[in-house]
Amino acid sequence: MIKNLHDLRDADIIYAGRKSVALGKMICAGIPVPSGFVIYKDVLGPVPGENRFRIPDNIKIKILSFLPALKSRQFAIRSSAISEDGLDESLAGRYESFIGVTEEDIFEAIEKCRGQDNSDSGMAVIVQAAVFGDASGVSFSADPESGDRNWVYIEAAKNPNAVTSGIENPHFYSVHKKTGEIIYGPAGPKELGGNSNIESELLNQKDIGRLSDLVLKIEEIFGYPVDVEWVKKGDSFGIKVDQPTKPG
């Protein structure tokens, strides 16, 4: 089965994975998530005797019929393993996403994405409109190390996926949830080593405030601390992925 993200409900988790259902919840709550759909875990069958998966011809036709609604010429193909990003277990970073995929290459990208998982629980595959912007990064509604929930933590970089891949040193911002105070720099509120009067060349104070508000709204939707991947284009933000924050 193939379903639009906004049509998913909690009962779909066992077929579509928690990541897909979480994206659907955010869309329905008005969070700016790129439109997309999910291919259920059992749709792509393994090729006998080979370590890969194949899309049946009838499913290829359905996939093509879903693409025009995304209103994009490039797509993002993401994993949604059934055991991925759960409250008790996180496989964040284990699976590769395929960004900027054209319609011509979409079947190959979907098969590659599905082929990353051979577990018994299986993997669904998400297809979304690809979003490229001026900056991207990750944000946490709680300290990922200590679990402190008084601040929103933001890491930002210019290159797409640079923060999550570690290829670029990010800009750091910490926003106090009650006062809105902004602290710049990696020291953050732990040492109060940042200067809250600086305007960053990457995210200004309005950007930081808008992003912090989005992260807090997502935390409210799910009822637990979240780890959010985002992209900024102009004055707007788009949310790519949400997962629970698990203190180290």
Side-chain angles (χ1 to χ4, degrees):
M1 181 181 289
I2 300 176
K3 262 191 175 183
N4 286 310
L5 293 176
H6 62 258
D7 290 329
L8 294 173
R9 299 295 181 266
D10 286 341
D12 294 301
I13 288 178
I14 59 174
Y15 309 106
R18 200 206 73 88
K19 183 186 293 183
S20 297
V21 173
L23 289 170
K25 283 185 177 180
M26 288 191 287
I27 291 172
C28 291
I31 302 296
V33 172
S35 56
F37 58 89
V38 61
I39 305 165
Y40 274 20
K41 67 171 186 175
D42 296 327
V43 169
L44 277 68
V47 178
E50 300 183 33
N51 187 27
R52 65 186 183 93
F53 289 79
R54 177 176 55 202
I55 306 174
D57 289 341
N58 64 317
I59 299 301
K60 288 182 178 180
I61 294 172
K62 287 186 177 181
I63 290 171
L64 292 177
S65 72
F66 274 76
L67 292 182
L70 305 190
K71 298 179 180 179
S72 178
R73 294 184 178 182
Q74 296 188 68
F75 307 95
I77 313 301
R78 308 184 192 278
S79 65
S80 186
I82 306 309
S83 59
E84 186 178 9
D85 296 344
L87 288 171
D88 299 320
E89 178 183 8
S90 177
L91 300 178
R94 176 174 174 179
Y95 303 114
E96 180 182 359
S97 296
F98 301 85
I99 311 299
V101 176
T102 63
E103 183 175 327
E104 180 181 357
D105 298 322
I106 197 164
F107 298 138
E108 180 183 359
I110 291 171
E111 290 173 348
K112 283 183 177 179
C113 187
R114 177 63 182 89
Q116 296 178 98
D117 178 82
N118 291 308
S119 67
D120 293 336
S121 56
M123 174 194 282
V125 177
I126 300 167
V127 179
Q128 291 176 281
V131 179
F132 304 96
D134 315 313
S136 65
V138 295
S139 298
F140 305 88
S141 67
D143 189 313
E145 295 181 5
S146 69
D148 179 11
R149 299 183 65 172
N150 291 313
W151 298 78
V152 172
Y153 300 87
I154 298 171
E155 300 179 16
K158 289 184 178 180
N159 294 320
N161 302 314
V163 174
T164 53
S165 64
I167 62 174
E168 182 179 329
N169 291 327
H171 295 244
F172 293 91
Y173 315 93
S174 303
V175 186
H176 195 276
K177 291 183 179 180
K178 290 185 178 180
T179 67
E181 177 189 7
I182 300 172
I183 294 176
Y184 294 76
K190 295 176 184 176
E191 301 176 18
L192 296 179
N195 186 334
S196 59
N197 296 316
I198 301 173
E199 280 287 327
S200 168
E201 76 282 358
L202 193 55
L203 297 182
N204 60 39
Q205 289 186 357
K206 288 184 178 179
D207 293 332
I208 296 167
R210 280 195 294 263
L211 181 55
S212 176
D213 289 344
L214 265 180
V215 173
L216 290 177
K217 185 174 180 180
I218 294 169
E219 181 183 62
E220 182 180 356
I221 291 168
F222 294 105
Y224 51 73
V226 293
D227 169 350
V228 173
E229 291 184 30
W230 53 267
V231 61
K232 173 181 175 289
K233 186 174 183 179
D235 294 329
S236 301
F237 286 91
I239 302 301
K240 299 190 291 183
V241 179
D242 148 74
Q243 60 198 28
T245 295
K246 298 176 179 60

Coordinates of all heavy atoms in Angstrom, one line a residue, residues 207-237:
D207 N 15.0 34.6 13.1 CA 15.1 33.3 12.6 C 15.2 32.3 13.8 O 14.5 31.3 13.8 CB 16.4 33.0 11.7 CG 16.4 33.8 10.4 OD1 15.2 34.0 9.9 OD2 17.4 34.1 9.9
I208 N 16.1 32.6 14.7 CA 16.3 31.7 15.9 C 15.0 31.6 16.7 O 14.6 30.5 17.1 CB 17.4 32.3 16.8 CG1 18.7 32.2 16.0 CG2 17.5 31.5 18.1 CD1 19.8 33.0 16.6
G209 N 14.3 32.8 16.8 CA 13.0 32.7 17.6 C 11.9 31.9 16.9 O 11.2 31.1 17.5
R210 N 11.8 32.1 15.5 CA 10.8 31.3 14.8 C 11.1 29.8 14.9 O 10.2 29.0 15.0 CB 10.8 31.7 13.3 CG 10.0 33.0 13.1 CD 9.8 33.2 11.6 NE 11.0 33.5 10.9 CZ 11.4 34.7 10.5 NH1 10.8 35.7 10.9 NH2 12.6 34.8 9.8
L211 N 12.4 29.4 14.7 CA 12.8 28.0 14.7 C 12.5 27.4 16.1 O 12.0 26.3 16.3 CB 14.2 27.9 14.3 CG 14.8 26.4 14.3 CD1 13.9 25.5 13.4 CD2 16.2 26.4 13.8
S212 N 12.9 28.2 17.2 CA 12.7 27.7 18.5 C 11.2 27.5 18.8 O 10.8 26.5 19.4 CB 13.2 28.7 19.5 OG 12.9 28.4 20.9
D213 N 10.3 28.4 18.3 CA 8.9 28.2 18.5 C 8.4 27.0 17.8 O 7.5 26.3 18.3 CB 8.1 29.4 17.9 CG 8.3 30.7 18.8 OD1 8.7 30.5 20.0 OD2 8.0 31.8 18.3
L214 N 8.9 26.7 16.6 CA 8.5 25.5 15.9 C 8.9 24.2 16.6 O 8.1 23.3 16.8 CB 9.2 25.5 14.5 CG 8.5 26.0 13.3 CD1 9.3 25.9 12.0 CD2 7.2 25.2 13.1
V215 N 10.1 24.2 17.2 CA 10.6 23.1 17.9 C 9.7 22.8 19.1 O 9.3 21.7 19.5 CB 12.1 23.2 18.3 CG1 12.5 22.1 19.2 CG2 12.9 23.3 17.1
L216 N 9.3 23.9 19.8 CA 8.5 23.8 21.0 C 7.1 23.3 20.6 O 6.5 22.5 21.4 CB 8.4 25.1 21.7 CG 9.7 25.6 22.4 CD1 9.5 26.9 23.1 CD2 10.1 24.5 23.5
K217 N 6.6 23.7 19.5 CA 5.3 23.2 19.1 C 5.3 21.7 18.8 O 4.4 21.0 19.1 CB 4.8 24.0 17.8 CG 3.4 23.7 17.4 CD 2.9 24.6 16.3 CE 1.5 24.2 15.9 NZ 1.0 25.0 14.7
I218 N 6.4 21.3 18.1 CA 6.6 19.9 17.8 C 6.7 19.1 19.1 O 6.1 18.0 19.3 CB 7.8 19.6 16.9 CG1 7.6 20.3 15.6 CG2 8.1 18.2 16.8 CD1 8.8 20.4 14.7
E219 N 7.4 19.6 20.1 CA 7.5 18.9 21.4 C 6.1 18.8 22.0 O 5.8 17.8 22.6 CB 8.4 19.7 22.3 CG 8.6 19.0 23.7 CD 9.5 19.9 24.6 OE1 9.1 21.0 24.9 OE2 10.5 19.4 25.0
E220 N 5.3 19.8 21.9 CA 4.0 19.8 22.5 C 3.1 18.8 21.8 O 2.3 18.1 22.4 CB 3.3 21.2 22.3 CG 1.9 21.3 22.9 CD 1.3 22.7 22.8 OE1 2.0 23.6 22.3 OE2 0.2 22.9 23.2
I221 N 3.2 18.7 20.5 CA 2.4 17.7 19.7 C 2.7 16.3 20.2 O 1.8 15.5 20.4 CB 2.8 17.8 18.2 CG1 2.3 19.1 17.6 CG2 2.2 16.6 17.4 CD1 2.8 19.4 16.2
F222 N 4.0 15.9 20.4 CA 4.3 14.6 20.7 C 4.4 14.3 22.2 O 4.3 13.1 22.7 CB 5.6 14.2 20.1 CG 5.5 14.1 18.6 CD1 6.0 15.2 17.8 CD2 4.8 13.1 17.9 CE1 5.9 15.1 16.4 CE2 4.7 13.1 16.6 CZ 5.2 14.1 15.8
G223 N 4.6 15.3 23.0 CA 4.6 15.1 24.5 C 5.9 14.6 25.0 O 5.9 14.1 26.2
Y224 N 7.0 14.8 24.3 CA 8.3 14.4 24.8 C 9.4 15.2 24.0 O 9.1 15.8 23.0 CB 8.6 12.9 24.5 CG 8.3 12.4 23.1 CD1 9.2 12.7 22.1 CD2 7.2 11.6 22.8 CE1 8.9 12.2 20.8 CE2 7.0 11.1 21.6 CZ 7.8 11.4 20.5 OH 7.6 10.9 19.3
P225 N 10.6 15.3 24.6 CA 11.6 16.1 23.9 C 12.0 15.5 22.5 O 12.0 14.3 22.3 CB 12.8 15.9 24.9 CG 12.2 15.5 26.2 CD 11.0 14.7 25.9
V226 N 12.2 16.4 21.6 CA 12.4 16.0 20.2 C 13.7 16.5 19.6 O 14.3 17.5 20.1 CB 11.3 16.5 19.3 CG1 9.9 15.8 19.7 CG2 11.1 18.0 19.4
D227 N 14.2 15.8 18.6 CA 15.4 16.1 17.8 C 14.9 16.3 16.4 O 14.3 15.4 15.8 CB 16.3 14.9 17.9 CG 17.5 14.9 17.0 OD1 17.5 15.8 16.1 OD2 18.4 14.1 17.1
V228 N 15.0 17.5 15.9 CA 14.4 17.9 14.7 C 15.4 18.4 13.6 O 16.3 19.1 13.9 CB 13.4 19.1 14.9 CG1 12.9 19.7 13.6 CG2 12.3 18.7 15.8
E229 N 15.3 17.8 12.4 CA 16.1 18.3 11.3 C 15.3 19.3 10.5 O 14.1 19.1 10.2 CB 16.5 17.1 10.4 CG 17.5 16.2 11.0 CD 18.0 15.1 10.1 OE1 18.0 15.4 8.8 OE2 18.3 14.0 10.5
W230 N 15.9 20.4 10.1 CA 15.2 21.5 9.5 C 16.0 22.1 8.3 O 17.2 21.9 8.2 CB 14.9 22.6 10.5 CG 16.1 23.1 11.2 CD1 16.5 22.6 12.4 CD2 17.0 24.1 10.8 NE1 17.7 23.3 12.8 CE2 18.0 24.2 11.8 CE3 17.1 24.9 9.7 CZ2 19.1 25.1 11.7 CZ3 18.1 25.8 9.6 CH2 19.1 25.9 10.6
V231 N 15.3 22.8 7.5 CA 16.0 23.6 6.4 C 15.3 25.0 6.4 O 14.1 25.1 6.6 CB 15.8 22.9 5.1 CG1 14.4 22.7 4.7 CG2 16.6 23.6 4.0
K232 N 16.1 26.0 6.1 CA 15.6 27.4 6.0 C 15.8 27.9 4.6 O 16.8 27.7 4.0 CB 16.4 28.3 7.0 CG 16.1 29.8 6.9 CD 17.0 30.6 7.8 CE 16.7 32.1 7.6 NZ 17.3 32.6 6.3
K233 N 14.7 28.5 4.1 CA 14.7 29.1 2.8 C 14.1 30.4 2.9 O 12.9 30.6 3.1 CB 14.0 28.2 1.8 CG 14.1 28.7 0.3 CD 13.4 27.7 -0.6 CE 13.6 28.2 -2.1 NZ 13.0 27.2 -3.1
G234 N 14.9 31.5 2.7 CA 14.4 32.8 2.9 C 14.0 33.1 4.3 O 14.9 32.8 5.2
D235 N 12.8 33.4 4.6 CA 12.3 33.7 5.9 C 11.6 32.5 6.5 O 11.0 32.6 7.6 CB 11.4 34.9 6.0 CG 12.2 36.2 5.7 OD1 13.4 36.2 6.0 OD2 11.6 37.1 5.1
S236 N 11.5 31.4 5.8 CA 10.7 30.3 6.2 C 11.5 29.0 6.5 O 12.6 28.8 6.0 CB 9.7 29.9 5.0 OG 8.9 31.0 4.7
F237 N 10.9 28.2 7.4 CA 11.6 27.0 7.8 C 10.7 25.8 7.4 O 9.5 25.8 7.4 CB 11.8 26.9 9.3 CG 12.9 27.8 9.8 CD1 12.6 29.1 10.2 CD2 14.2 27.4 9.9 CE1 13.6 30.0 10.6 CE2 15.2 28.2 10.3 CZ 14.9 29.5 10.7

